[in-house]
Amino acid sequence: MDSTTADSSRAPENGAADNGSGQNAALDPAVAERLKRDAAGLVAAVVQQHDTREVLMVGWMDDEALRRTLTTGRVTYWSRSRQEYWRKGDTSGHVQWVKSVALDCDGDALLVTVDQVGAACHTGTHTCFDGRDLAAVTGP
């Protein structure tokens, strides 16, 4: 995982979190009701470079991570291993600037297009898929 500044304050189930003004902000209910989360309350986020359409990585978001992504211009994820929020690039400088966010037809995955600064993968490769091809029989 990328070295980032993490926020371990887990938001309540409804996605509410302090918005900095002492008031709670939550994910738009119209968006929240369209999400189909897994048993842990997460949705997969496929991250793609906005101009080349290259798939960079896959991360996970809960309602709060999605709210932060939609409202701050930077992508926020929920770390399943560390059990905390993190933003790509807070310490590495490999920032992901949000260009668009779309929900798939089933509501169980997000497509986040970004302007990636530096490497997307925590290993230092451009994408999390570089050099990791599997042998597969291909069609015509």
Side-chain angles (χ1 to χ4, degrees), residues 15-80:
D18 187 337
N19 65 9
S21 67
Q23 299 175 348
N24 282 346
L27 182 62
D28 179 340
V31 173
E33 80 177 28
R34 295 173 58 197
L35 293 176
K36 290 184 185 164
R37 302 158 192 83
D38 68 9
L42 302 173
V43 175
V46 177
V47 182
Q48 184 179 51
Q49 176 64 30
H50 75 100
D51 50 357
T52 65
R53 299 297 185 199
E54 183 174 31
V55 175
L56 301 172
M57 61 174 281
V58 175
W60 296 91
M61 294 184 183
D62 64 3
D63 286 19
E64 176 60 13
L66 179 56
R67 184 196 68 78
R68 292 181 189 189
T69 298
L70 293 172
T71 61
T72 66
R74 295 269 308 275
V75 184
T76 299
Y77 301 97
W78 175 254
S79 170
R80 296 175 300 165

Side-chain angles (χ1 to χ4, degrees), residues 121-135:
C121 186
H122 72 281
T123 66
T125 58
H126 179 65
T127 82
C128 291
F129 302 98
D130 287 347
R132 296 169 180 90
D133 293 342
L134 301 176

Side-chain angles (χ1 to χ4, degrees), residues 107-118:
D108 61 359
L110 298 162
L111 177 61
V112 182
T113 62
V114 301
D115 187 11
Q116 176 71 49
V117 176

